[in-house]
Amino acid sequence: MRRRICFLMTAILLGVSSHAQDLPDASRFLPGPPETTSVQYIKDYLQYVWGKSLRDSTRGQQAVSDFSTEISTYLKAYSKVLNTDLTSDMPKLNLLFEYCMNYGIRMQNQAQKSYSYRRPYARFKDKTLIPAFEDTYRDVSSYPASQALFGWMYAMVLTEIAPDRQNEILARGYDFGASSVISGYHWDSDVYAGFLLASALVSRLHTFPGFSGMITAARTEYEKKTGVKNPTAGNSDEAYFAISELPDAYKYLPAPPETISPFFACDLSAYEQGKAAREDVYGDLTETGQQALTDITYSADNFCKVYSPILGKEISATATPQLYKLMSLVHPLGNGATQTCKAYYMRPRPYVQMNELTLYAPDEDHLRDTGSYPSGHASGSWLHALVLAEINPDAEEALLARAYLFGQGRVVSGYHWQSDVDMGRLVASAIYARLHTNTAFLEQLELARQEYKGTSAIRDVRAEQSEAPVYNLQGIRVDSPSHPGVYIQDGRKVVY
C-alpha cells in the first residue's frame, strides 16, 4: 500500500498517471521461452542443475536475500555496492526507485500475460531454495524473470547516478538474475529475457515527463552525500567517451563457456544451426542468410540504413544531419565497450575454432586473431535501437526486434558464438546508461529529437541575457543549473 501511495504522489507531482504511458510489449521483440526440444532448453536445464549445486553455499545465501522483489531488497543490495546507505537521507533516490518499481511491475505483469511457461521446480516437481513461496508462484508464468528485470533496471539507473562505481553496480545487477536460477524459480532464458526487458523499460522511461529530472535530482543527492563529483563529459573527440571510461564488460559479465563444458555444446549447436540456415538445398542464400550478409558491416552508415525504415525517416548527413551526427558519435561505443573483455579472454571465433568458412570471406583474415566474446555487432545494434527508441518510442518494439535479428546474424555468418551475441546486448544496456551521464550526448539527443519532430533546434544563448526563471527539460524549475546542459528560459531552449 505504501508503495502505491508514494507512486501516486509522484505521478501527481510530475503530471503523469500510472496508466497514462504505454510500455513496450515483450512479445514483439523477445524470442519467447524455448521449446523443450531446443538447445536453449538443454542449457536451461544445465543451468538449473548448476543452480541447485550452489544452494548450500554462501552464494545460495545471497540468492535467498535476493529473492524478494521489494524495493528495500535492491536499496540494501546496492547500498553495499556503493558503500553508502541508500535507505536513509536519500528521499529523491527512494522516490526514483518507487517510480521505477511500479513501471517494472506493470511491464513484468504485461509480459507474463503473453507467455505461459512452467517454472523449473513446478516442471520437475522439485523443491526450491525458498519453499514458502512455491504455491504462490506455481501457476505464474516463469518468463521473464522479475528479479533479473528489477535488478538490471536498477543497475542501469544507478549507473547514471553513480558512474564512478559502474562496473560494481552492473555486476550486482547481473547477480540478481543468477540468484533466481539458484533459487529454482526461474530458467536461464527467463533471466536473459528479464535483462533485455529492463533495457527496453529504461529506454521508455527516459521518454516520460519528469523521469530525467528525477535522475538528475537523485544524482545530485548522491554526490552531496558521498562527496563524489562525477564528470558530465567524456575524454574522446571521436565519440562521447573513451573506451577506458565505459563500463568494462570483463568486470561485470561472466566468463565465456569453456570448450569442455556442456554450455559450450549449446554454443556449438547454435553455430551449426546458423550455418545450416545460410543456404537452401540449391546453395542459394536463404532470406536469413541474405539478412545476415546485409548486416555484416559495422558502421554508422549501415546502422542508419538498417534503422531508417523503422524510424520512419531517412537518417543521413543531408536529410537529418543532427540525427546522423548522433548515430556517428554513438556507433564507436557499441564495439569499443567490448574490446577489453575480448582482449582478456581472446576467445576464438567459431570459424577459427572449427576451421571453416564464414558467410563473408573478406572479414576472415583481419578478424582471425581478435577475440569473439562479447559481440560488438550485437552490442552496437542493441545500443542504437535503445537510443533511437528515445526519439520515436512508438517504434521501440520494431527497433529492438530488428536489433535482435542483427545480432543473431553474427551467429548465422559464423563470426560469433550465441553466448557472444547474448552478452553483447547486455554491454549495450550498460553503455546506454553511461551515455546519459554525458551532457554532449543529451544535447545532441535533444537536437536529433527536435529535428525528427520537425521543430526548431536549440538556441545557444548566454545566461546573462535574461533574468527569467530557468527550468530543466522536464519542466522542473532550478535555482541555477548544476551541470552544463540544455535548459528552458523565456520559453526557449538555451545552453548553459
Side-chain angles (χ1 to χ4, degrees):
M1 178 62 72
R2 177 180 175 275
R3 176 192 298 167
R4 181 63 178 164
I5 292 173
C6 288
F7 180 66
L8 287 173
M9 291 177 63
T10 305
I12 292 170
L13 290 171
L14 296 175
V16 297
S17 166
S18 61
H19 298 286
Q21 308 289 353
D22 292 326
L23 297 176
D25 183 350
S27 66
R28 294 178 182 269
F29 64 90
L30 292 183
E35 298 290 335
T36 55
T37 55
S38 68
V39 174
Q40 178 59 54
Y41 178 74
I42 296 174
K43 182 184 178 185
D44 275 352
Y45 174 75
L46 293 172
Q47 287 288 77
Y48 172 69
V49 173
W50 165 82
K52 288 184 67 174
S53 72
L54 295 178
R55 291 182 185 176
D56 292 332
S57 67
T58 302
R59 185 63 184 84
Q61 294 173 8
Q62 180 181 317
V64 173
S65 299
D66 289 350
F67 181 76
S68 173
T69 54
E70 292 296 319
I71 294 173
S72 59
T73 301
Y74 302 98
L75 285 170
K76 291 175 182 177
Y78 287 111
S79 289
K80 293 180 180 179
V81 173
L82 296 175
N83 294 321
T84 301
D85 184 7
L86 303 181
T87 64
S88 63
D89 301 321
M90 299 283 282
K92 293 176 181 178
L93 185 137
N94 278 252
L95 194 63
L96 174 64
F97 267 49
E98 294 268 5
Y99 185 87
C100 291
M101 175 59 79
N102 277 277
Y103 279 113
I105 291 172
R106 282 188 56 204
M107 194 162 188
Q108 172 72 9
N109 292 341
Q110 177 179 294
Q112 286 182 331
K113 289 179 182 178
S114 300
Y115 306 101
S116 180
Y117 201 56
R118 297 190 70 191
R119 294 173 183 266
Y121 74 91
R123 177 164 292 175
F124 297 130
K125 297 181 173 58
D126 205 349
K127 289 293 181 182
T128 68
L129 188 56
I130 305 99
F133 293 92
E134 289 173 4
D135 289 342
T136 302
Y137 292 107
R138 192 177 303 278
D139 296 322
V140 177
S141 179
S142 179
Y143 184 97
S146 55
Q147 287 91 343
L149 193 165
F150 302 147
W152 195 249
M153 171 185 71
Y154 285 131
M156 291 180 67
V157 168
L158 284 172
T159 294
E160 294 189 42
I161 294 170
D164 54 302
R165 303 302 297 274
Q166 59 188 1
N167 294 319
E168 296 88 346
I169 291 168
L170 293 163
R172 188 65 180 91
Y174 189 91
D175 278 350
F176 272 106
S179 288
S180 65
V181 173
I182 294 170
S183 69
Y185 278 86
H186 285 287
W187 304 97
D188 182 67
S189 55
D190 302 336
V191 168
Y192 186 62
F195 289 152
L196 297 189
L197 207 58
S199 66
L201 175 58
V202 173
S203 178
R204 182 60 62 90
L205 288 177
H206 269 292
T207 70
F208 289 1
F211 181 71
S212 294
M214 294 177 74
I215 292 280
T216 301
R219 178 173 176 169
T220 301
E221 186 178 62
Y222 167 79
E223 292 183 345
K224 182 178 180 180
K225 184 169 184 175
T226 62
V228 173
K229 189 68 173 178
N230 281 299
T232 58
N235 293 314
S236 173
D237 294 330
E238 299 178 354
Y240 291 113
F241 289 107
I243 292 176
S244 60
E245 297 172 297
L246 296 172
D248 187 346
Y250 162 67
K251 295 181 179 179
Y252 64 86
L253 291 183
E258 298 284 344
T259 54
I260 58 173
S261 73
F263 302 116
F264 176 71
C266 299
D267 268 352
L268 186 60
S269 179
Y271 166 72
E272 293 294 341
Q273 290 177 352
K275 189 171 63 172
R278 296 176 195 170
E279 299 176 346
D280 60 22
V281 292
Y282 302 104
D284 297 323
L285 282 181
T286 61
E287 182 178 347
T288 299
Q290 184 59 59
Q291 186 69 75
L293 189 61
T294 299
D295 294 344
I296 207 76
T297 303
Y298 190 99
S299 70
D301 285 340
N302 195 39
F303 282 126
C304 290
K305 181 180 179 181
V306 166
Y307 290 121
S308 285
I310 301 171
L311 195 67
K313 185 168 289 191
E314 179 187 345
I315 309 174
S316 69
T318 53
T320 50
Q322 299 298 344
L323 190 49
Y324 182 78
K325 180 179 179 180
L326 178 69
M327 296 283 277
S328 298
L329 291 172
V330 166
H331 104 273
L333 304 180
N335 186 48
T338 66
Q339 294 306 306
T340 55
C341 198
K342 284 182 175 179
Y344 182 84
Y345 291 114
M346 282 304 295
R347 186 186 195 188
R349 293 175 182 268
Y351 74 96
V352 175
Q353 187 153 337
M354 305 304 292
N355 195 27
E356 294 180 340
L357 299 177
T358 68
L359 181 62
Y360 185 70
D363 283 347
E364 290 177 5
D365 287 343
H366 77 268
L367 291 179
R368 189 173 300 278
D369 297 322
T370 62
S372 184
Y373 178 90
S375 166
H377 277 66
S379 172
S381 58
W382 196 258
L383 174 62
H384 280 83
L386 292 174
V387 171
L388 291 175
E390 275 200 66
I391 294 173
N392 182 3
D394 291 338
E396 180 172 13
E397 295 152 347
L399 287 166
L400 292 176
R402 184 65 180 87
Y404 194 92
L405 184 64
F406 195 104
Q408 290 306 116
R410 300 303 283 173
V411 179
V412 174
S413 66
Y415 279 97
H416 281 289
W417 304 102
Q418 183 64 55
S419 55
D420 302 338
V421 169
D422 290 344
M423 294 300 103
R425 298 184 185 110
L426 299 193
V427 172
S429 303
I431 308 167
Y432 174 79
R434 186 70 167 98
L435 273 170
H436 283 77
T437 69
N438 189 301
T439 300
F441 166 76
L442 295 175
E443 291 176 356
Q444 190 59 41
L445 180 67
E446 179 61 22
L447 286 168
R449 184 186 288 114
Q450 296 302 328
E451 180 182 69
Y452 177 78
K453 293 179 179 178
T455 55
S456 60
I458 298 169
R459 301 184 192 183
D460 190 358
V461 301
R462 294 189 303 166
E464 59 264 34
Q465 286 180 309
S466 174
E467 297 298 327
V470 179
Y471 299 85
N472 63 24
L473 291 178
Q474 288 70 45
I476 301 173
R477 183 170 177 174
V478 294
D479 294 332
S480 61
S482 57
H483 297 299
V486 181
Y487 295 85
I488 299 173
Q489 190 174 30
D490 274 341
R492 57 182 177 177
K493 289 175 182 171
V494 299
V495 178
Y496 273 81

